[in-house]
Structure formats: structure tokens, C-alpha cells
Amino acid sequence: MQTTTLTIDGMRDEQCLRLVTNAIQDLPGISYLEISLETGQATIEHGAFVSSADIYQAVEDAGFSAR
């Protein structure tokens, strides 16, 4: 398993958190996901066939920015 940590900008409430969570969980091979609404910090454990770039793209496709 690989671990990707990123900060998600633009989340304001629980609905935003759900949108981002669903977008990331829709990727194949996500085994663990924790996102803090307060800090925007996200920790994702995933298989080797999902890259960090895939995760960043999923967050952006959900309408948020990641760094």
C-alpha cells in the first residue's frame, strides 16, 4: 500500500466533505481515507495502480483544489 497526504482547499461543510470523500472512494484500490473538514488534510492509503495524480484529479473533478 502507498500513502498519499494532501491538503484540500475549498471545503466549507459536511456536503463538501461528502463530495470529496465519494470522489476519492470511487477510485479503485482505496483502502483507507481520512479527511479533516477543519484543516482540509487528507490521508489516503491506496494500491500501486492508483497514482497520487489520480487522487488530485478526482479532488479537482469534484470541484475542489488540492496541494
Side-chain angles (χ1 to χ4, degrees), residues 25-46:
Q25 286 180 334
D26 283 347
L27 295 170
I30 302 298
S31 62
Y32 174 80
L33 171 60
E34 181 180 345
I35 304 173
S36 168
L37 181 59
E38 292 77 28
T39 65
Q41 192 76 5
T43 303
I44 305 107
E45 288 184 7
H46 53 91

Side-chain angles (χ1 to χ4, degrees), residues 7-25:
T7 301
I8 301 167
D9 296 318
M11 293 189 301
R12 297 176 309 280
D13 54 28
E14 290 293 324
Q15 182 174 349
C16 294
L17 182 62
R18 274 194 303 280
L19 283 171
V20 173
T21 299
N22 290 339
I24 295 172
Q25 286 180 334

